[in-house]
Amino acid sequence: MPDQPQTTSNGTYSHAAASKSEALPPGTQAPAFELYSTPDQTVALNDLQGRPVILAFYPADWSPVCGDQMTLYNEILPGFRPFDAQLLGISVDGKWCHAAFARERNLHFPLLADFEPKGEVARAYGVYRGREGICERALFVLDDAGVIRWSHVSPLGVNPGADGILRALESISTKEVVDR
Amino acid sequence: MTESQSPTLMPPIGNGDHVLGPSTASVQLVEYGDYECPYCGAAHAIVQQVLSRMQNRLLFAFRHFPLSQIHPHAERAAEAAEAAGSQGGFWPMHDMLFAHQNALSDVDFARYAASLNLDVERFIEDLSEKRYAERVRKDFLSGVRSGVNGTPTFFINGRRHDGPWDLPNLLTAVEHAAASPVR
């Protein structure tokens, strides 16, 4: 219910669009979720523990741009592989919409449907735009224990690219080497 | 990276780049593009206009960013441009490819090479040996690192241009950078 006060994970109230300051910050344990990635399969965040995870929240499928964010990350996938990072795209589109979009753009990573309850996962991460009913363009990089190590909210009209993701993955893997 | 700054081009324009204009120009414009991308096709004409208006005040460089998952000919087209470049014909081939975005097969590339009076045998061999695939890959990776976020992506004086790139807007952005050069 976008018009009613929502309690965010740190206990504050937010009404309409999430602002940059509401996206869950580094150091937070990433909220668990399980969402449809295909019409009959789900992906549960907890199943991915043991490897870094990149969560790419985005407003909608089917933007009329060649190199939209999901298409871009699809090209860059080999760059995430050395870190054994799993990329997940999340929008409020339904699972059938995602299926068609993923097929058309030849995507090789899951698109998750934050469809019902609408935007619930995006809200848990502080990145739901209640007024428009879509996710912010927000990135989260989680380490292999499911802790958020980097988050970034981009203006809706600006595709953030992958440079921030790669720096975050590098910094995580460096720290893990140091900690051993 | 602070959120108020747009991403930075890495590496800056250097000796390996394909450039148009004087290295002393106060504005540097870099485009990452894909020969099979219709938006890059549109941008090609726009960049030519910008170059003509800016004359010797602008240094332009083009780097490859083929979206090979959705554009099956893009990677090969980039290699064709590089193969032509090894014979001094990068820019003519670059123009040719954008002028024929619907004809980007290997046979087409050989035809273009012939019409540009290149050594076609050598050109074909370079392509089949994939001699320039690594160079194209390096461009792509530099784009990823620099924060390329679609095709085309422009960098003005090393900073990603996030505004519109129609002629009036791109020209304004470039003129603005010329008026206040940051080195």
Side-chain angles (χ1 to χ4, degrees), chain A residues 20 64 75 106 108 159 170, chain B residues 3 39 67-69 145 149:
Chain A
K20 286 185 210 292
E75 292 293 334
N106 202 18
H108 302 299
N159 173 345
E170 274 159 2
Chain B
E3 289 193 11
Y39 297 96
L67 301 176
S68 49
Q69 293 298 316
R145 282 290 166 179
N149 60 0

Side-chain angles (χ1 to χ4, degrees), chain B residues 104-121:
Chain B
L104 297 178
S105 70
D106 281 8
V107 170
D108 294 315
F109 300 148
R111 268 197 306 120
Y112 305 148
S115 75
L116 294 174
N117 292 320
L118 301 178
D119 178 343
V120 179
E121 225 177 278

Side-chain angles (χ1 to χ4, degrees), chain A residues 72 75-76 80 161-164 166, chain B residues 32 65 139-148:
Chain A
L72 182 80
E75 292 293 334
I76 295 171
F80 300 146
D163 53 313
L166 287 171
Chain B
Y32 280 87
F65 202 84
D139 272 12
F140 180 85
L141 291 173
S142 80
V144 174
R145 282 290 166 179
S146 301
V148 163

Side-chain angles (χ1 to χ4, degrees), chain B residues 5 8 25-28 156-159 174 176-183:
Chain B
Q5 285 182 313
T8 308
S26 57
V27 189
Q28 298 192 343
I156 299 177
N157 283 350
R159 286 255 111 97
V174 164
H176 182 79
S180 49
V182 176
R183 290 305 207 150

